[in-house]
mmCIF file of all heavy atoms in Angstrom:
data_model
loop_
_atom_site.group_PDB
_atom_site.id
_atom_site.type_symbol
_atom_site.label_atom_id
_atom_site.label_comp_id
_atom_site.label_asym_id
_atom_site.label_seq_id
_atom_site.Cartn_x
_atom_site.Cartn_y
_atom_site.Cartn_z
ATOM 1 N N VAL A 178 -5.971 41.684 -0.531
ATOM 2 C CA VAL A 178 -7.074 42.079 -1.497
ATOM 3 C C VAL A 178 -6.677 41.473 -2.891
ATOM 4 O O VAL A 178 -7.590 40.887 -3.547
ATOM 5 C CB VAL A 178 -7.209 43.603 -1.530
ATOM 6 C CG1 VAL A 178 -8.044 44.046 -2.747
ATOM 7 C CG2 VAL A 178 -7.721 44.107 -0.294
ATOM 8 N N ILE A 179 -5.457 41.683 -3.326
ATOM 9 C CA ILE A 179 -5.128 41.264 -4.713
ATOM 10 C C ILE A 179 -5.131 39.694 -4.834
ATOM 11 O O ILE A 179 -5.542 39.136 -5.816
ATOM 12 C CB ILE A 179 -3.776 41.864 -5.122
ATOM 13 C CG1 ILE A 179 -3.518 41.725 -6.570
ATOM 14 C CG2 ILE A 179 -2.630 41.058 -4.354
ATOM 15 C CD1 ILE A 179 -4.235 42.850 -7.332
ATOM 16 N N ASN A 180 -4.800 38.989 -3.676
ATOM 17 C CA ASN A 180 -4.794 37.534 -3.645
ATOM 18 C C ASN A 180 -6.245 37.021 -3.756
ATOM 19 O O ASN A 180 -6.556 36.017 -4.258
ATOM 20 C CB ASN A 180 -4.035 36.903 -2.604
ATOM 21 C CG ASN A 180 -2.603 36.726 -3.138
ATOM 22 O OD1 ASN A 180 -2.327 35.988 -4.066
ATOM 23 N ND2 ASN A 180 -1.648 37.393 -2.451
ATOM 24 N N PHE A 181 -7.158 37.739 -3.029
ATOM 25 C CA PHE A 181 -8.527 37.300 -2.962
ATOM 26 C C PHE A 181 -9.071 37.493 -4.421
ATOM 27 O O PHE A 181 -9.862 36.618 -4.914
ATOM 28 C CB PHE A 181 -9.312 38.214 -1.904
ATOM 29 C CG PHE A 181 -10.816 37.730 -1.772
ATOM 30 C CD1 PHE A 181 -11.016 36.644 -1.100
ATOM 31 C CD2 PHE A 181 -11.808 38.460 -2.365
ATOM 32 C CE1 PHE A 181 -12.366 36.236 -1.022
ATOM 33 C CE2 PHE A 181 -13.137 38.118 -2.354
ATOM 34 C CZ PHE A 181 -13.406 36.952 -1.553
ATOM 35 N N LEU A 182 -8.715 38.593 -5.024
ATOM 36 C CA LEU A 182 -9.204 38.814 -6.456
ATOM 37 C C LEU A 182 -8.734 37.716 -7.357
ATOM 38 O O LEU A 182 -9.469 37.073 -8.182
ATOM 39 C CB LEU A 182 -8.670 40.232 -6.892
ATOM 40 C CG LEU A 182 -9.167 40.764 -8.335
ATOM 41 C CD1 LEU A 182 -10.569 41.092 -8.236
ATOM 42 C CD2 LEU A 182 -8.200 41.925 -8.722
ATOM 43 N N ALA A 183 -7.396 37.308 -7.140
ATOM 44 C CA ALA A 183 -6.823 36.274 -8.056
ATOM 45 C C ALA A 183 -7.542 34.979 -7.823
ATOM 46 O O ALA A 183 -7.848 34.194 -8.755
ATOM 47 C CB ALA A 183 -5.310 36.191 -7.676
ATOM 48 N N SER A 184 -7.926 34.696 -6.502
ATOM 49 C CA SER A 184 -8.608 33.352 -6.275
ATOM 50 C C SER A 184 -9.906 33.377 -6.859
ATOM 51 O O SER A 184 -10.345 32.450 -7.348
ATOM 52 C CB SER A 184 -8.691 33.271 -4.749
ATOM 53 O OG SER A 184 -7.439 33.061 -4.138
ATOM 54 N N SER A 185 -10.591 34.654 -6.884
ATOM 55 C CA SER A 185 -11.954 34.587 -7.565
ATOM 56 C C SER A 185 -11.828 34.408 -9.007
ATOM 57 O O SER A 185 -12.703 33.652 -9.531
ATOM 58 C CB SER A 185 -12.548 36.071 -7.324
ATOM 59 O OG SER A 185 -12.674 36.313 -5.961
ATOM 60 N N ILE A 186 -10.797 34.944 -9.669
ATOM 61 C CA ILE A 186 -10.608 34.699 -11.084
ATOM 62 C C ILE A 186 -10.368 33.235 -11.274
ATOM 63 O O ILE A 186 -10.893 32.594 -12.261
ATOM 64 C CB ILE A 186 -9.438 35.559 -11.608
ATOM 65 C CG1 ILE A 186 -9.795 37.063 -11.465
ATOM 66 C CG2 ILE A 186 -9.143 35.222 -13.052
ATOM 67 C CD1 ILE A 186 -8.642 37.947 -11.820
ATOM 68 N N PHE A 187 -9.532 32.569 -10.516
ATOM 69 C CA PHE A 187 -9.148 31.132 -10.616
ATOM 70 C C PHE A 187 -10.406 30.364 -10.453
ATOM 71 O O PHE A 187 -10.703 29.421 -11.194
ATOM 72 C CB PHE A 187 -8.160 30.899 -9.509
ATOM 73 C CG PHE A 187 -7.779 29.464 -9.140
ATOM 74 C CD1 PHE A 187 -7.959 28.504 -10.140
ATOM 75 C CD2 PHE A 187 -7.384 29.193 -7.974
ATOM 76 C CE1 PHE A 187 -7.591 27.193 -9.888
ATOM 77 C CE2 PHE A 187 -7.032 27.856 -7.601
ATOM 78 C CZ PHE A 187 -7.095 26.871 -8.628
ATOM 79 N N LEU A 188 -11.328 30.728 -9.415
ATOM 80 C CA LEU A 188 -12.489 29.955 -9.190
ATOM 81 C C LEU A 188 -13.511 30.116 -10.422
ATOM 82 O O LEU A 188 -14.139 29.108 -10.776
ATOM 83 C CB LEU A 188 -13.198 30.588 -7.925
ATOM 84 C CG LEU A 188 -14.219 29.691 -7.195
ATOM 85 C CD1 LEU A 188 -13.678 28.267 -6.936
ATOM 86 C CD2 LEU A 188 -14.657 30.368 -5.978
ATOM 87 N N ALA A 189 -13.478 31.249 -11.077
ATOM 88 C CA ALA A 189 -14.285 31.441 -12.149
ATOM 89 C C ALA A 189 -13.852 30.568 -13.294
ATOM 90 O O ALA A 189 -14.662 29.941 -14.067
ATOM 91 C CB ALA A 189 -14.372 32.865 -12.652
ATOM 92 N N GLY A 190 -12.508 30.395 -13.457
ATOM 93 C CA GLY A 190 -11.918 29.510 -14.448
ATOM 94 C C GLY A 190 -12.304 28.044 -14.105
ATOM 95 O O GLY A 190 -12.557 27.336 -15.153
ATOM 96 N N ILE A 191 -12.336 27.657 -12.838
ATOM 97 C CA ILE A 191 -12.848 26.341 -12.496
ATOM 98 C C ILE A 191 -14.186 26.114 -13.038
ATOM 99 O O ILE A 191 -14.622 25.081 -13.544
ATOM 100 C CB ILE A 191 -12.709 26.135 -10.968
ATOM 101 C CG1 ILE A 191 -11.231 26.038 -10.563
ATOM 102 C CG2 ILE A 191 -13.430 24.815 -10.620
ATOM 103 C CD1 ILE A 191 -10.985 25.949 -9.081
ATOM 104 N N GLY A 192 -15.062 27.198 -12.740
ATOM 105 C CA GLY A 192 -16.454 27.122 -13.230
ATOM 106 C C GLY A 192 -16.545 26.951 -14.747
ATOM 107 O O GLY A 192 -17.338 26.022 -15.178
ATOM 108 N N VAL A 193 -15.771 27.606 -15.551
ATOM 109 C CA VAL A 193 -15.760 27.482 -17.011
ATOM 110 C C VAL A 193 -15.437 26.097 -17.353
ATOM 111 O O VAL A 193 -16.079 25.360 -18.109
ATOM 112 C CB VAL A 193 -14.928 28.470 -17.651
ATOM 113 C CG1 VAL A 193 -14.847 28.260 -19.180
ATOM 114 C CG2 VAL A 193 -15.369 29.935 -17.369
ATOM 115 N N ILE A 194 -14.313 25.536 -16.791
ATOM 116 C CA ILE A 194 -13.862 24.284 -17.076
ATOM 117 C C ILE A 194 -14.906 23.129 -16.751
ATOM 118 O O ILE A 194 -15.208 22.236 -17.487
ATOM 119 C CB ILE A 194 -12.582 23.890 -16.284
ATOM 120 C CG1 ILE A 194 -11.424 24.659 -16.815
ATOM 121 C CG2 ILE A 194 -12.200 22.403 -16.302
ATOM 122 C CD1 ILE A 194 -10.802 24.251 -18.132
ATOM 123 N N TYR A 195 -15.613 23.350 -15.578
ATOM 124 C CA TYR A 195 -16.551 22.392 -15.150
ATOM 125 C C TYR A 195 -17.732 22.454 -16.143
ATOM 126 O O TYR A 195 -18.286 21.348 -16.484
ATOM 127 C CB TYR A 195 -17.056 22.599 -13.710
ATOM 128 C CG TYR A 195 -18.010 21.577 -13.239
ATOM 129 C CD1 TYR A 195 -17.581 20.323 -12.928
ATOM 130 C CD2 TYR A 195 -19.384 21.888 -13.274
ATOM 131 C CE1 TYR A 195 -18.524 19.327 -12.536
ATOM 132 C CE2 TYR A 195 -20.304 20.871 -12.959
ATOM 133 C CZ TYR A 195 -19.804 19.621 -12.511
ATOM 134 O OH TYR A 195 -20.693 18.600 -12.244
ATOM 135 N N GLY A 196 -18.093 23.692 -16.494
ATOM 136 C CA GLY A 196 -19.181 23.769 -17.489
ATOM 137 C C GLY A 196 -18.851 23.113 -18.770
ATOM 138 O O GLY A 196 -19.826 22.601 -19.405
ATOM 139 N N LEU A 197 -17.619 23.142 -19.203
ATOM 140 C CA LEU A 197 -17.316 22.583 -20.538
ATOM 141 C C LEU A 197 -17.156 21.089 -20.475
ATOM 142 O O LEU A 197 -17.652 20.374 -21.334
ATOM 143 C CB LEU A 197 -15.969 23.150 -20.927
ATOM 144 C CG LEU A 197 -15.881 24.557 -21.522
ATOM 145 C CD1 LEU A 197 -14.437 24.985 -21.769
ATOM 146 C CD2 LEU A 197 -16.723 24.716 -22.718
#
Side-chain angles (χ1 to χ4, degrees):
Chain A
V178 171
I179 196 78
N180 271 297
F181 186 76
L182 187 72
S184 294
S185 301
I186 296 170
F187 170 27
L188 198 54
I191 293 175
V193 176
I194 290 284
Y195 183 78
L197 286 175

